[in-house]
Amino acid sequence: MKQTIPCFTRLCYLVILLCTCGPALMAQNVAGPNAEAIELKGELEIKGQVQDADGVAVAFANVALYSTVGELVKVETTDDAGLFKMDGITDGTYDLVVTYLGAPDLRREGIEVKNGVLDLGILQLAPAAVELAEATVTATRALVEIKPDRTVFNVQGTINAVGDNGLDLLRKAPGVTVDNNNNINVLGRSGVLVYVDGKRLPLAGEDLSNYLRSLTAEQIDRIDIITNPGAKYEAEGNAGILDIRLKKNENEGFNGTVSATASQGRYSQANGNFTGNYRNRNLNVFGTLGYGLSEFYTNLEFQSYQNGLYLEENTAFFNKVANPSFRIGTDFFLNDKHTIGFLASGQNSGGDFYSYNNIDLFTAGALQENPDSLLRAETNGNNDRGQQTYNINYRYDAGKGKSLNVDLDYGRFRNDNLRDQPNRYLSGDGTETINVINNYFDTPTDIDIYTAKLDYEQPLAGGQFGAGLKFSQVGTNNTFFYFDVEADGERVLNRDRSNQFDYDENVFAAYVNYAGKLSEQVSYSAGLRAEVTDAMGILSPFRADLEEPPVELNYVSFFPSAGITYAINQQKGNTVSLNYGRRINRPDYNVLNPFRNQISQLSYEKGNPFLNPEIVDNLELGYTLAYRYNFKLGYSRTSNQITRLIGPDDINPAAGFIGWDNLATQTNYSFSAALPFTITPKWNAFFNASAGYLDNQATYENGATIDVQAFTYSIFSQQTFNLPKGFTAELSGYFSGPGVWGGVFEYKTSGALNVGLQKKFFGNQLNVKISGNDLLYTSGWRGRSEFNGLVSNGKGNWDSRRATLSLSYNFGNQKVKSRKRNTGLSEEAGRVGG
């Protein structure tokens, strides 16, 4: 039995150290000649709600507060309900300006602020100056928003997202790439964590890919791309966090949306969803029911040279999946300060799959018409993936920046996988069967994850202080039953190839964070997170002589983060920021598991139980021009980078495998730019450009080396046109230059072109969208890998060229009433208000 008491003792020391030293260090930072003035300064609050001429809440309007001499004091953006709040305002007289695209500016001059909270109530924008009788201001979000700590990809801001799933949407997100094995990279860095509504998904590899495919674009509101998370976030994930936020509704009364989508490519896909909620001042009940049916395929082709052989390999995967899902929750607003919430969600993704793997073997360098031999492997199987998550949340919000949030979570993930795989060796001309080897696999995976989290924030010395604790326990049980199938069909357990791999991980964490201002132009934040990791992987073979000692990971890590922002010109919205953070990526069950996951007898993948965690230091320099044009330079250096490698088998000279290992170092330089333009009143354009330089270095005991450098770039653009009769058209696409996946796979250029058309009916309640994705069928990949004597050229594609029709109907109270708003559970806690 593992001893966890020493880890808990160390955690106690860390908590005491952080909580006692943190405030003392911060007190030193703010002390000085003006410290007394800071303590005496009275901090007030201004709030209100922005509505359009029809009384509908306006989201994402800019609200700016100026002094009477024209100096910008503070700027905020309205939320989904049109609400805004400005804290830390001192006594005085101010001018307030509300700006929103498509409506005249709204000005309120001579506002006197004193004595606590000033509620401005409803601030109603006037209709557009042109065609006053017909003009209506709607709350349309930009496709991409750049915020101080994240980039927001608004899925609902693009017609061409219709019919996509979560994995497809990540391919379109700015700065995000998905490689040929569905590994996700951000700004050229691997090791990204995927969250849903603020909750980390404990899935990796194929399990993660299949879960993301089960999410439809109609369920997703936005994707937050957090490349350099602060101390409040767990330190896992070298490339940061991708937080998929599902749709929510915070309108009072009963509200709902019914949607249906049908898509046709090589195969058909369809899904339907119902989302509803009932909300009043004391209660919010919300839920979602969904069901989807989909068929899709993937095709891979490789030509490889190894050990004097030339191999031509073609693999095709076909899946047919049914996906029911649910999500239901309740928020109880005990009063204006206390909220208790419950949330349960689940889904099942089950169906049959089929694949075939054809390998033709030649003698390398020989001139021959027919191959020496053929291998034909066909796989028929069934996969059933189930997920349930449960959350209990308590939130105390005293206002003025003082809050306490407690989360208790449990997640249950089950994966049952059955496969029947006959391998037939044929003569070179395919006329004679040389040998038949039939295998059967039963490989269930069970994951249980428990999490307890506490976050506390309060104003301190003119800034904002935060601290928190978190404990997570992940238990993973992987069983690999490998059967030899006899000629009469009897399955015999192969004890040499069957085993069980159990991986348990406990992480204790504590953090402190502080954000403040050095002046009206200079703001800063600094934090420190400490994590104690206690993990063990136990491989249990079915033969005693194959048993290996357990893999133990037991270490303490510190993760500092810091950032500083300088407002060059506050009135014009020009700012520059510099952020630093250290992060870790622990090897998960998917890459530690040493099972040989067989595609055929000559092609397989396996994990590495001796991987080390990787540590990365990230540095980012950002510049914002006129509140809307954003540029970012990034530098990262990773030690022990966990990477995917394609290499030859040590025993069979004709076999190859995909495995995992550590690089010595990976260095990455990156640049990105987000550029929105209003070309005409009816034509809006968005461009996102990124570029990077990657350097991978490694030397292994068997003499194999990696010395790979690559320059890569990508461009994404979306053009939106407001057409007559209320139609909206969209043209979007991307082009990606060459780069490197994993350690050594150098891929070439790819791209896609998409079109879409949208029309709303019945007072905007019925929304009809039609789109065509990857019209030129150019989004596939191709590339080359060379490692340890294996040279491989490959390409792949999937069912990406599709036509999609989507219908959605909103009903209920679609206007937000003006009231004191209790949002329920915090955004960081992963809760939604409906």
Side-chain angles (χ1 to χ4, degrees):
M1 180 179 294
K2 292 185 292 182
Q3 300 294 321
T4 59
I5 295 178
C7 294
F8 180 77
T9 303
R10 277 181 284 175
L11 175 66
C12 294
Y13 288 142
L14 291 173
V15 173
I16 295 171
L17 174 66
L18 292 174
C19 293
T20 54
C21 296
L25 291 172
M26 289 181 289
Q28 294 177 16
N29 288 338
V30 300
N34 298 322
E36 184 176 355
I38 293 174
E39 291 294 332
L40 295 177
K41 183 170 62 177
E43 293 191 356
L44 310 175
E45 178 183 304
I46 299 176
K47 65 178 183 177
Q49 185 191 43
V50 178
Q51 295 183 2
D52 67 12
D54 293 328
V56 178
V58 177
F60 308 102
N62 289 323
V63 183
L65 192 69
Y66 295 92
S67 68
T68 54
V69 296
E71 180 183 355
L72 180 66
V73 176
K74 199 172 187 66
V75 65
E76 294 289 350
T77 302
T78 58
D79 62 14
D80 291 342
L83 298 161
F84 69 90
K85 183 174 67 174
M86 295 180 173
D87 296 316
I89 309 299
T90 57
D91 291 347
T93 302
Y94 300 92
D95 297 335
L96 184 137
V97 180
V98 180
T99 58
Y100 186 74
L101 183 65
D105 293 352
L106 185 152
R107 301 183 64 89
R108 293 280 297 272
E109 299 180 351
I111 299 174
E112 292 188 9
V113 181
K114 60 182 179 180
N115 299 329
V117 178
L118 174 61
D119 190 348
L120 297 176
I122 297 175
L123 301 174
Q124 195 160 36
L125 296 171
V130 180
E131 298 179 0
L132 287 177
E134 299 179 7
T136 301
V137 178
T138 56
T140 303
R141 287 178 287 177
L143 175 65
V144 175
E145 298 175 83
I146 308 296
K147 297 188 176 183
D149 64 335
R150 69 193 63 197
T151 298
V152 180
F153 176 48
N154 288 308
V155 173
Q156 298 309 309
T158 170
I159 303 170
N160 290 335
V162 176
D164 281 347
N165 58 52
L167 193 63
D168 293 332
L169 291 173
L170 290 180
R171 298 180 194 273
K172 298 179 179 180
V176 181
T177 58
V178 182
D179 71 14
N180 58 324
N181 293 298
N182 293 328
N183 296 306
I184 303 168
N185 302 293
V186 177
L187 296 180
R189 306 197 304 260
S190 61
V192 65
L193 286 191
V194 177
Y195 283 54
V196 174
D197 280 336
K199 304 294 184 185
R200 177 188 170 188
L201 283 175
L203 301 176
E206 185 180 356
D207 295 331
L208 176 59
S209 300
N210 282 289
Y211 174 80
L212 292 174
R213 286 194 185 100
S214 71
L215 291 177
T216 66
E218 289 69 35
Q219 295 173 292
I220 299 172
D221 178 66
R222 70 181 195 269
I223 300 174
D224 290 353
I225 306 164
I226 311 171
T227 58
N228 212 350
K232 184 175 183 177
Y233 295 90
E234 59 183 291
E236 181 80 10
N238 283 357
I241 294 170
L242 296 177
D243 193 357
I244 300 173
R245 293 286 176 172
L246 303 180
K247 285 184 179 179
K248 60 183 179 180
N249 195 328
E250 295 182 351
N251 298 347
E252 288 190 349
F254 180 70
N255 307 273
T257 300
V258 179
S259 64
T261 299
S263 177
Q264 184 65 51
R266 179 171 178 175
Y267 297 100
S268 61
Q269 299 178 4
N271 64 76
N273 287 277
F274 167 76
T275 300
N277 82 301
Y278 174 77
R279 183 183 182 112
N280 57 34
R281 291 187 60 87
N282 302 313
L283 175 70
N284 185 33
V285 181
F286 54 93
T288 300
L289 293 175
Y291 189 83
L293 288 172
S294 61
E295 296 180 75
F296 53 90
Y297 84 98
T298 303
N299 188 73
L300 310 175
E301 296 180 23
F302 282 93
Q303 297 84 40
S304 303
Y305 297 87
Q306 64 185 75
N307 301 319
L309 298 173
Y310 169 65
L311 291 80
E312 291 184 352
E313 180 178 4
N314 182 280
T315 307
F317 301 91
F318 300 87
N319 294 70
K320 185 175 183 179
V321 178
N323 177 228
S325 62
F326 76 92
R327 189 167 181 266
I328 186 168
T330 305
D331 290 330
F332 296 96
F333 307 130
L334 305 181
N335 53 41
D336 290 340
K337 296 182 179 179
H338 300 273
T339 303
I340 294 178
F342 305 91
L343 178 64
S345 64
Q347 70 165 10
N348 188 79
S349 177
D352 298 326
F353 63 89
Y354 166 77
S355 71
Y356 66 82
N357 178 261
N358 294 341
I359 300 179
D360 296 355
L361 292 90
F362 298 80
T363 301
L367 297 176
Q368 56 191 99
E369 181 177 350
N370 293 323
D372 297 326
S373 60
L374 310 174
L375 172 62
R376 301 293 183 256
E378 298 181 2
T379 301
N380 288 279
N382 179 271
N383 189 280
D384 188 14
R385 291 180 168 86
Q387 170 204 346
Q388 298 88 41
T389 59
Y390 306 91
N391 169 265
I392 300 175
N393 175 277
Y394 166 74
R395 181 167 178 82
Y396 169 74
D397 191 341
K400 298 184 178 180
K402 186 174 183 179
S403 65
L404 174 70
N405 194 86
V406 180
D407 267 292
L408 300 176
D409 290 275
Y410 169 67
R412 173 186 170 94
F413 301 83
R414 298 294 183 262
N415 179 9
D416 294 321
N417 190 298
L418 302 173
R419 287 179 292 152
D420 183 64
Q421 184 185 94
N423 293 265
R424 295 185 300 121
Y425 288 92
L426 307 175
S427 59
D429 57 7
T431 59
E432 181 182 354
T433 299
I434 300 174
N435 191 17
V436 176
I437 301 175
N438 196 351
N439 302 124
Y440 183 83
F441 304 89
D442 183 359
T443 57
T445 298
D446 296 341
I447 305 173
D448 292 278
I449 178 169
Y450 302 85
T451 302
K453 183 169 174 279
L454 180 148
D455 296 290
Y456 175 76
E457 291 186 354
Q458 74 164 44
L460 178 67
Q464 189 75 5
F465 169 76
L469 299 171
K470 182 178 181 180
F471 168 74
S472 65
Q473 181 183 65
V474 180
T476 305
N477 303 108
N478 305 267
T479 305
F480 191 86
F481 292 119
Y482 184 107
F483 295 89
D484 295 318
V485 182
E486 304 291 346
D488 59 1
E490 182 183 358
R491 297 169 184 165
V492 179
L493 182 68
N494 187 322
R495 294 182 174 273
D496 295 339
R497 303 285 296 273
S498 300
N499 46 28
Q500 181 169 330
F501 184 75
D502 296 330
Y503 179 70
D504 296 313
E505 179 184 273
N506 298 322
V507 178
F508 307 84
Y511 76 88
V512 291
N513 192 75
Y514 186 79
K517 285 189 173 183
L518 298 176
S519 68
E520 288 299 319
Q521 290 181 287
V522 181
S523 59
Y524 67 94
S525 64
L528 178 63
R529 187 179 185 92
E531 293 189 352
V532 178
T533 302
D534 177 24
M536 178 178 290
I538 300 176
L539 179 65
S540 303
F542 285 81
R543 279 178 43 189
D545 58 316
L546 297 177
E547 188 168 346
E548 298 180 3
V551 178
E552 295 187 69
L553 301 172
N554 200 318
Y555 51 88
V556 181
S557 304
F558 292 90
F559 303 96
S561 60
I564 187 168
T565 300
Y566 174 65
I568 301 173
N569 187 317
Q570 291 181 318
Q571 288 183 306
K572 293 184 178 181
N574 301 338
T575 61
V576 62
S577 62
L578 182 66
N579 292 279
Y580 164 78
R582 172 173 292 176
R583 301 187 63 76
I584 189 173
N585 195 33
R586 303 175 184 89
D588 57 48
Y589 71 94
N590 192 60
V591 300
L592 289 171
N593 194 335
F595 299 159
R596 290 168 59 110
N597 186 20
Q598 187 169 291
I599 300 173
S600 73
Q601 287 218 324
L602 297 181
S603 181
Y604 63 94
E605 59 183 5
K606 66 177 181 178
N608 180 358
F610 302 104
L611 288 172
N612 294 312
E614 58 186 26
I615 300 291
V616 63
D617 290 281
N618 295 322
L619 188 65
E620 294 180 354
L621 176 66
Y623 176 68
T624 300
L625 175 66
Y627 291 116
R628 54 192 283 127
Y629 306 107
N630 293 271
F631 308 87
K632 182 179 290 185
L633 283 172
Y635 166 81
S636 69
R637 184 175 177 84
T638 306
S639 301
N640 291 323
Q641 170 80 33
I642 298 173
T643 193
R644 197 178 181 106
L645 298 172
I646 304 175
D649 185 67
D650 295 333
I651 300 174
N652 188 341
F657 71 92
I658 299 173
W660 297 88
D661 217 320
N662 291 108
L663 296 176
T665 60
Q666 180 182 85
T667 306
N668 187 288
Y669 304 88
S670 63
F671 168 79
S672 64
L675 308 171
F677 297 98
T678 301
I679 299 176
T680 72
K682 295 184 179 297
W683 179 9
N684 290 296
F686 174 79
F687 297 89
N688 182 271
S690 62
Y693 179 79
L694 183 74
D695 183 8
N696 288 340
Q697 297 289 329
T699 301
Y700 299 103
E701 293 180 357
N702 61 0
T705 62
I706 294 177
D707 183 8
V708 175
Q709 298 80 37
F711 173 79
T712 187
Y713 60 91
S714 65
I715 300 173
F716 173 85
S717 178
Q718 177 170 300
Q719 315 291 315
T720 304
F721 306 91
N722 296 321
L723 304 177
K725 305 295 183 180
F727 284 93
T728 302
E730 187 175 284
L731 180 67
S732 67
Y734 76 90
F735 181 81
S736 178
V740 175
W741 290 329
V744 294
F745 191 89
E746 300 180 63
Y747 63 86
K748 298 181 181 180
T749 59
S750 64
L753 177 66
N754 313 307
V755 296
L757 187 68
Q758 174 180 269
K759 169 68 174 173
K760 295 184 178 181
F761 302 89
F762 306 122
N764 293 337
Q765 285 184 278
L766 176 63
N767 192 2
V768 180
K769 300 178 182 179
I770 185 169
S771 66
N773 283 344
D774 196 12
L775 299 183
L776 305 179
Y777 203 44
T778 52
S779 63
W781 57 267
R782 53 197 175 98
R784 183 177 188 273
S785 171
E786 183 174 356
F787 175 70
N788 198 22
L790 188 154
V791 180
S792 185
N793 295 283
K795 63 180 180 179
N797 56 68
W798 57 94
D799 200 6
S800 57
R801 182 165 53 186
R802 310 187 66 82
T804 303
L805 173 66
S806 172
L807 305 174
S808 63
Y809 182 77
N810 300 315
F811 58 90
N813 176 27
Q814 298 303 310
K815 295 184 179 181
V816 180
K817 296 180 180 179
S818 178
R819 57 176 173 77
K820 184 170 182 180
R821 179 189 184 217
N822 190 334
T823 59
L825 304 170
S826 72
E827 190 83 349
E828 291 79 6
R831 298 287 303 202
V832 297

